[in-house]
Amino acid sequence: MLVVYMTLGYPDNERYLEFMEEAVKNGADILEIGIPPKYAKYDGPVIRKSYEKVAGKFDLWSFLPETRKVIGGTKAIALTYLEDWVQELDDFLCKLKRAGLDGVLFPDLLIDFVDDYQTYSTRVREKGLNNVIFTAPSVPDKMILQVSRQSDLFLYYGVRPTTGIPLPITVSSLVTRVRNLVDNKLVVGFGLSDENDLRKALKAGADGAAIGTAFIQAIDNGGVKQAIDLVIKLRSVLDEF
Amino acid sequence: MVVVGVYDTPMVNNAEEILPKYWYNIIPDLPKPLPPPRDPLGAEFSRIDLLRTILPKEVLRQQLTIERYIKIPEEVRERYLAIGRPTPLLRARRLEEYLGTPAKIYFKYEGATPTGSHKINTALPQAYFAREEGIEHVVTETGAGQWGTATALSATMYGMKSTVFMVKVSYEQKPMRKSIMQLYGGEVYPSPTDLTEFGKKVRKENPNHPGSLGIAMSEAIEYALDHHLKYLVGSVLDVVILHQSVIGQETIAQLDELGEEPDVLIGCVGGGSNFGGFSFPFIGNGRGKKYIAVASAEIPKFSTGEYKYDFPDSAGLLPLVKMITMGNSYVPPPIYAGGLRYHGAAPSLSLLMKEGIVGWREYNENQIFEAAQMFMRTQGIVPAPESSHAIRAVIEEALEAKRANRKEVIVFNLSGHGLLDLPNYDSMMKRVTSNEQR
């Protein structure tokens, strides 16, 4: 399962849509669309800068539906921090649904809203959206077991504390620790663009990978084409398993 | 078991078996997710990225690769054995008798290591990992000097140089600690210094600044960055508590040998590493019924601190962590001599306290001075002023057991001896006496 992340409207509306369309054609199973937050708590410098670059460049609710037009029936989930929307959550979820999104992933749900995470999950589902739950090695085993059964589409497991920074970890140990606890598709993310790391994660039992920062860097370095080449390469690594 | 002198069960015959083969990490067993370290809002540089430059790679890898058990490298186990691990688990029978309590009191004596405290348990592996990476010089900060001493010895053991930024007020009050660090081969500076931009800034605002652990930490990190050296971390971070888990695991094995089941576990808290190392293997494995973290009433982080994201160091060079904190610019009262001056408590410990699993106490200088004296006169060991906080709580629990006639088993961590803290006790003696006269 290849989960492709891109910041909404990055680097501009036209190239963003081109990337999304081509990503689907070249093997992305699920798209994650980053909605610029006030505070990207668990994002590294690359994604944070991408948010700054697009901030204020589009009207969220009129631009989001454009994605649906170019990606056809592929599942697309919004990625944004619950903190920003918690006061107007039902309204936010309704608008996401109307904009053609299939679900939502709140990275801070289990961290900053842990006592009420089930209530929030229910509210997401009541609006007809999938609720993809974000976990990490700092989530205790019992809770990983529990939420893995409640997460829709797959369970997200961020192996590093921040996106995009190649902090030293043993990815195989981290995946092995939770593999038997996860009663769902296990998708690993956070700094996994390195092919060796990715292979180790898949060998240890991951069902897929979520990649983001590497596509933004590829767009910055060589445009949409280079980013799509990376989609093709990562797809082929996943297809080895 | 034969009782001789002040100690019970002083010898460890099966050291190899009792010394654990793995370090234990409580994070997979916590009741709730541990909030991750993070970069501040609108940060101009990434502190998380900076960790890669500051810490030895393997130390950072262990901080981030969270598993329940991590194998202790054989070379590190050998060093642990060489410095006298497992440390003794002793019974404080004379203290029990003096208090007339039906409770049994045991203590894990971490003062038995050559540096006189538990700090060596993480200094050794960090120095080992640094050396394996080809690092030749390490830097750190120290308050009372226990951590600085542990770093200086560990660095020397692995053929590395060490530089220690020591909180100025301690540097002046504790010349003996400085001597030991220098004898081990360490270079010691009183912080705030003029060797770093941050130190200069603090001194410019107040030339007589007494220093704080947060400031010394920032200076050590800045100095490491400027000189391309690595920084060793003495408390707060999960990797440190991971290494300290040898304390609690040994204690469990030693209690099992005696056929004792612990009821109450007590430890003092500066940054939380000796408490975590001692109590987390019990908490994670469901052993014991009550856990008490003890801090100082003069640095009242438990009663007045807030549970929030804050920097571990004063300059804010490390990532934000969620902890009980009095604020990273907190400066402790200079006259106070009881230790435990750090402004925060480790994130994992903070979470366990917030969840009501670990309880807390705070005692003032008079109270811990009394406790230290009672312990010296019954058990003979001069405790570190830090550890005297735990002793005070032990005494109160033992008296409570007496009132309720409960035959409970109290186990505490005597995190260090106080033989190099005699100036502190001297100063307490004078102040306590003058308070009494008033």
Side-chain angles (χ1 to χ4, degrees), chain B residues 183-206:
Chain B
L183 286 166
Y184 281 147
E187 219 175 30
V188 191
Y189 298 110
S191 163
T193 70
D194 284 329
L195 298 169
T196 67
E197 288 308 311
F198 188 67
K200 278 186 215 163
K201 184 175 155 252
V202 172
R203 280 172 58 80
K204 203 175 160 196
E205 280 162 22
N206 175 9

Side-chain angles (χ1 to χ4, degrees), chain B residues 234-257:
Chain B
S235 194
V236 183
L237 292 195
D238 307 315
V239 64
V240 174
I241 301 182
L242 172 83
H243 294 158
Q244 294 292 355
S245 69
V246 293
I247 307 173
Q249 293 185 81
E250 286 174 10
T251 310
I252 289 175
Q254 288 166 319
L255 286 169
D256 285 350
E257 287 235 318

Side-chain angles (χ1 to χ4, degrees), chain A residues 39 48 115 141 162 170 177, chain B residues 32 39 48 61 66 68:
Chain A
Y39 180 6
R48 266 190 271 147
D115 293 330
D141 286 4
T162 300
T170 305
R177 181 188 133 203
Chain B
K32 283 187 184 167
D39 280 325
I48 290 182
R61 198 193 65 79
I66 300 166
R68 192 172 275 103

Side-chain angles (χ1 to χ4, degrees), chain B residues 69-333:
Chain B
Y69 288 99
I70 291 183
K71 198 167 177 18
I72 303 175
E74 211 34 60
E75 293 85 343
V76 174
R77 277 192 95 235
E78 278 168 24
R79 288 287 184 185
Y80 278 160
L81 289 167
I83 58 157
R85 296 218 72 85
T87 53
L89 178 75
L90 305 168
R91 183 163 168 195
R93 203 183 276 270
R94 299 291 173 261
L95 180 62
E96 291 168 18
E97 283 167 11
Y98 180 80
L99 296 169
T101 179
K104 286 186 198 168
I105 302 173
Y106 288 95
F107 61 100
K108 181 71 169 163
Y109 185 40
E110 287 298 301
T113 70
T115 58
S117 83
H118 67 288
K119 294 284 190 182
I120 190 97
N121 299 331
T122 186
L124 269 182
Q126 290 188 51
Y128 167 73
F129 293 136
R131 183 70 246 188
E132 287 289 288
E133 284 160 41
I135 291 152
E136 290 171 356
H137 190 155
V138 294
V139 189
T140 197
E141 76 289 333
T142 195
Q146 290 183 338
W147 170 240
T149 308
T151 301
L153 175 58
S154 302
T156 296
M157 277 182 165
Y158 289 105
M160 295 184 292
K161 287 185 192 156
S162 59
T163 299
V164 181
F165 287 81
M166 186 172 188
V167 176
K168 194 164 110 192
V169 60
S170 298
Y171 182 92
E172 284 158 3
Q173 286 171 359
K174 298 187 145 197
M176 294 297 178
R177 277 284 177 193
K178 178 188 64 188
S179 304
I180 278 221
M181 285 186 259
Q182 288 169 340
L183 286 166
Y184 281 147
E187 219 175 30
V188 191
Y189 298 110
S191 163
T193 70
D194 284 329
L195 298 169
T196 67
E197 288 308 311
F198 188 67
K200 278 186 215 163
K201 184 175 155 252
V202 172
R203 280 172 58 80
K204 203 175 160 196
E205 280 162 22
N206 175 9
N208 299 316
H209 199 293
S212 73
L213 206 55
I215 293 169
M217 209 180 258
S218 294
E219 284 209 273
I221 294 166
E222 190 187 323
Y223 191 83
L225 284 169
D226 283 352
H227 297 80
H228 306 286
L229 311 174
K230 293 287 171 180
Y231 171 74
L232 301 193
V233 54
S235 194
V236 183
L237 292 195
D238 307 315
V239 64
V240 174
I241 301 182
L242 172 83
H243 294 158
Q244 294 292 355
S245 69
V246 293
I247 307 173
Q249 293 185 81
E250 286 174 10
T251 310
I252 289 175
Q254 288 166 319
L255 286 169
D256 285 350
E257 287 235 318
L258 295 169
E260 292 286 17
E261 195 53 43
D263 296 296
V264 186
L265 292 134
I266 298 175
C268 63
V269 176
S273 77
N274 95 77
F275 183 86
F278 172 64
S279 68
F280 287 2
F282 286 91
I283 296 172
N285 290 293
R287 305 282 294 264
K289 296 177 189 134
K290 190 173 172 187
Y291 316 96
I292 306 171
V294 192
S296 152
E298 283 83 357
I299 294 104
K301 61 183 149 217
F302 296 151
S303 56
T304 69
E306 261 185 89
Y307 185 46
K308 62 175 186 187
Y309 270 98
D310 191 14
F311 291 113
D313 67 306
S314 299
L317 298 172
L318 292 172
L320 290 166
V321 296
K322 196 166 183 186
M323 61 179 179
I324 295 173
T325 174
M326 302 183 69
N328 73 329
S329 55
Y330 176 77
V331 178

Side-chain angles (χ1 to χ4, degrees), chain A residues 38-39 41-42 45 48 110-112 114-115 137-141 143 161-162 165-170 173-174 177, chain B residues 27-28 30-41 43 46 48-49 52 57 60-61 64-68 320:
Chain A
K38 291 195 182 83
Y39 180 6
K41 289 183 271 193
Y42 316 133
R48 266 190 271 147
L110 280 194
I111 314 265
D112 294 336
V114 62
D115 293 330
S138 60
V139 176
D141 286 4
M143 189 165 256
T162 300
I165 301 174
L167 293 161
I169 54 166
T170 305
S173 304
L174 291 172
R177 181 188 133 203
Chain B
I27 297 174
L30 286 174
K32 283 187 184 167
L34 188 66
R38 68 190 197 197
D39 280 325
L41 175 62
S46 169
I48 290 182
D49 200 7
R52 294 195 293 157
K57 189 177 174 191
L60 183 54
R61 198 193 65 79
L64 301 172
T65 306
I66 300 166
E67 293 177 90
R68 192 172 275 103
L320 290 166

Side-chain angles (χ1 to χ4, degrees), chain A:
Chain A
M1 189 182 270
L2 177 61
V3 180
V4 170
Y5 167 90
M6 185 48 63
T7 296
L8 182 64
Y10 190 84
D12 53 47
N13 296 2
E14 196 182 319
R15 281 184 282 176
Y16 159 78
L17 290 172
E18 186 191 343
F19 172 77
M20 290 309 229
E21 186 173 4
E22 289 297 316
V24 168
K25 281 185 193 158
N26 289 286
D29 296 305
I30 295 182
L31 298 167
E32 271 183 339
I33 303 165
I35 297 176
K38 291 195 182 83
Y39 180 6
K41 289 183 271 193
Y42 316 133
D43 283 306
V46 174
I47 291 184
R48 266 190 271 147
K49 272 193 205 113
S50 79
Y51 287 141
E52 283 164 24
K53 188 163 179 188
V54 303
K57 295 244 173 91
F58 51 74
D59 172 65
L60 183 62
W61 301 117
S62 60
F63 184 56
L64 256 185
E66 301 282 317
T67 313
R68 176 53 65 201
K69 285 183 204 154
V70 301
I71 63 168
T74 305
K75 298 262 189 236
I77 55 176
L79 189 151
T80 194
Y81 291 85
L82 179 53
E83 186 179 62
D84 286 354
W85 302 101
V86 68
Q87 300 300 334
E88 40 180 317
L89 186 62
D90 289 337
D91 180 50
F92 174 67
L93 295 169
C94 285
K95 283 177 174 163
L96 277 185
K97 179 76 186 167
R98 271 206 302 271
L101 275 284
D102 298 289
V104 65
L105 188 160
F106 295 122
D108 53 347
L109 177 68
L110 280 194
I111 314 265
D112 294 336
F113 300 90
V114 62
D115 293 330
D116 303 308
Y117 84 89
Q118 278 166 320
T119 316
Y120 289 114
S121 295
T122 307
R123 284 168 70 182
V124 171
R125 289 217 189 88
E126 279 171 359
K127 297 288 177 291
L129 290 165
N130 289 296
N131 184 48
V132 180
I133 298 183
F134 176 83
T135 61
S138 60
V139 176
D141 286 4
K142 271 186 202 161
M143 189 165 256
I144 288 181
L145 177 74
Q146 194 180 48
V147 303
S148 79
R149 294 176 178 148
Q150 299 171 12
S151 188
D152 299 320
L153 303 176
F154 60 89
L155 183 82
Y156 196 121
Y157 184 57
V159 288
R160 293 182 171 86
T162 300
T163 58
I165 301 174
L167 293 161
I169 54 166
T170 305
V171 69
S172 52
S173 304
L174 291 172
V175 173
T176 305
R177 181 188 133 203
V178 300
R179 178 61 274 186
N180 291 331
L181 303 170
V182 175
D183 192 2
N184 201 333
K185 296 263 185 223
L186 174 64
V187 170
V188 291
F190 282 40
L192 273 182
S193 61
D194 177 81
E195 265 183 67
N196 288 332
D197 254 17
L198 180 55
R199 280 203 180 84
K200 281 179 196 156
L202 293 165
K203 210 175 255 175
D207 299 301
I211 315 282
T213 300
F215 296 130
I216 291 176
Q217 283 169 329
I219 288 179
D220 290 350
N221 295 335
V224 171
K225 174 154 190 328
Q226 190 171 321
I228 293 304
D229 287 346
L230 183 59
V231 171
I232 295 167
K233 194 173 94 181
L234 293 167
R235 181 74 253 174
S236 74
V237 174
L238 281 159
D239 288 342
E240 290 169 21
F241 290 84

